[in-house]
Amino acid sequence: PMLDVRVFTNMRFTAGSLSVTFAFFALFGFIFMVTQYFQFVRGYNTLESGLRTVPFALFTGTAAPLSAKLAQRFGTKAVVAVGLASMALGFAWTTTLKVDSSYWFIVGQMFFMGGGLGLVNAPATEAIMGSLPPEKAGVGSAVNDTARELGGTLGVAIVGSLFASIYASRLGELLAGTPVPAEAIATAKESVGAGAAVAQVAGEQFGASAQAMVQGAVNSSFIDGFHAGSWVSSGVTLVGAVLAMRFLPSRAAALADAHSRSGEVAPVG
């Protein structure tokens, strides 16, 4: 009852919400994978993995203050679309990531992803909040938060499921016919962390060569799943960029402003 669904007839509100949803869908799906990459493939501990994601936050924080000024000059449509396209480019670049890729190679990818997110957030949020009258600011804020949470949840669920499915399938193929027991293979297929644990046990029982063989299979399977998930994230943000260019108005129309002052819901466009 608190949400008047007529607000979705305003494209500034709807397209802004979708832009936020798509951005966080891709972001959370990628974060789900990259944290495992740092910890289980590269072997960093929790703190070291967290520190290596700091550039992403720095790029986002740098782009965010600029996005408002850019939106004033070029319009919300252009800035949000460019931000989503930048994220799509960053995610597509991560499909070239390898087990032994340089960290600075990853920082370059974070530049496009984090900078793109910084360009999307403020203008899209302004489109959502600016399309409603002041007395409905709470509704706008709630929808804005829900868009982020919904996008992030679906990103982890969908991208994570695709990644896990490909990882398990590929790992089963690589370890089939090896001396690794079926029970150990089944355990390793449950998650990347479990695969790393199985590799460690193999090393303790059968030596370094056994550990290297299992860990190599785990890493290779992880990269295959990672690339597939990155393509999904790239595709989603690219679709978001196209939708923003098509449906997100560049600026609030005078008619919309008049409706806002009168407390009415602004019409489409």
Side-chain angles (χ1 to χ4, degrees), residues 36 40-41 99 163 166-168 170-172 174-175 184-185 187-189 191-200 210-226:
Q36 297 181 74
F40 302 121
V41 176
V99 173
F163 157 76
I166 292 177
Y167 162 78
R170 179 62 174 159
L171 184 62
L174 292 177
L175 293 181
I185 294 177
T187 299
K189 290 167 65 175
S191 69
V192 182
V198 169
Q200 184 175 358
Q211 180 173 358
M213 184 270 291
V214 176
Q215 187 63 56
V218 169
N219 291 347
S220 178
S221 302
F222 175 92
I223 291 298
D224 287 346
F226 184 94

Side-chain angles (χ1 to χ4, degrees), residues 17-248:
S17 300
L18 286 176
S19 297
V20 169
T21 301
F22 282 23
F24 278 79
F25 176 102
L27 173 66
F28 276 51
F30 177 78
I31 289 176
F32 174 79
M33 297 187 298
V34 79
T35 51
Q36 297 181 74
Y37 171 77
F38 283 135
Q39 290 182 268
F40 302 121
V41 176
R42 300 302 293 268
Y44 301 126
N45 62 35
T46 306
L47 177 59
E48 291 171 336
S49 299
L51 289 175
R52 280 167 173 77
T53 63
V54 168
F56 186 97
L58 293 178
F59 294 138
T60 302
T62 301
L66 299 176
S67 64
K69 297 179 180 179
L70 292 173
Q72 290 179 351
R73 181 171 182 179
F74 300 106
T76 301
K77 176 198 296 285
V79 176
V80 172
V82 168
L84 287 167
S86 176
M87 294 182 72
L89 177 60
F91 291 126
W93 190 3
T94 63
T95 61
T96 64
L97 195 66
K98 299 179 181 179
V99 173
D100 57 351
S101 293
S102 167
Y103 172 66
W104 297 108
F105 183 74
I106 302 173
V107 170
Q109 299 162 355
M110 290 182 181
F111 171 79
F112 288 97
M113 291 183 285
L117 181 65
L119 293 178
V120 172
N121 260 338
T125 298
E126 187 280 330
I128 295 171
M129 301 301 295
S131 62
L132 297 175
E135 61 270 19
K136 293 185 178 180
V139 171
S141 177
V143 171
N144 185 38
D145 289 343
T146 301
R148 284 171 167 78
E149 293 168 3
L150 178 63
T153 301
L154 291 177
V156 172
I158 296 174
V159 175
S161 295
L162 174 65
F163 157 76
S165 176
I166 292 177
Y167 162 78
S169 175
R170 179 62 174 159
L171 184 62
E173 295 174 0
L174 292 177
L175 293 181
T178 66
V180 181
E183 296 80 2
I185 294 177
T187 299
K189 290 167 65 175
E190 292 178 359
S191 69
V192 182
V198 169
Q200 184 175 358
V201 172
E204 294 171 353
Q205 295 182 352
F206 305 105
S209 59
Q211 180 173 358
M213 184 270 291
V214 176
Q215 187 63 56
V218 169
N219 291 347
S220 178
S221 302
F222 175 92
I223 291 298
D224 287 346
F226 184 94
H227 288 171
S230 293
W231 277 123
V232 172
S233 293
S234 179
V236 166
T237 45
L238 185 60
V239 170
V242 172
L243 292 178
M245 284 298 296
R246 174 65 181 84
F247 295 108
L248 182 61

Side-chain angles (χ1 to χ4, degrees), residues 8-11 249 255 266-269:
F8 290 101
T9 62
N10 187 325
M11 282 295 100
L255 179 60
V268 174

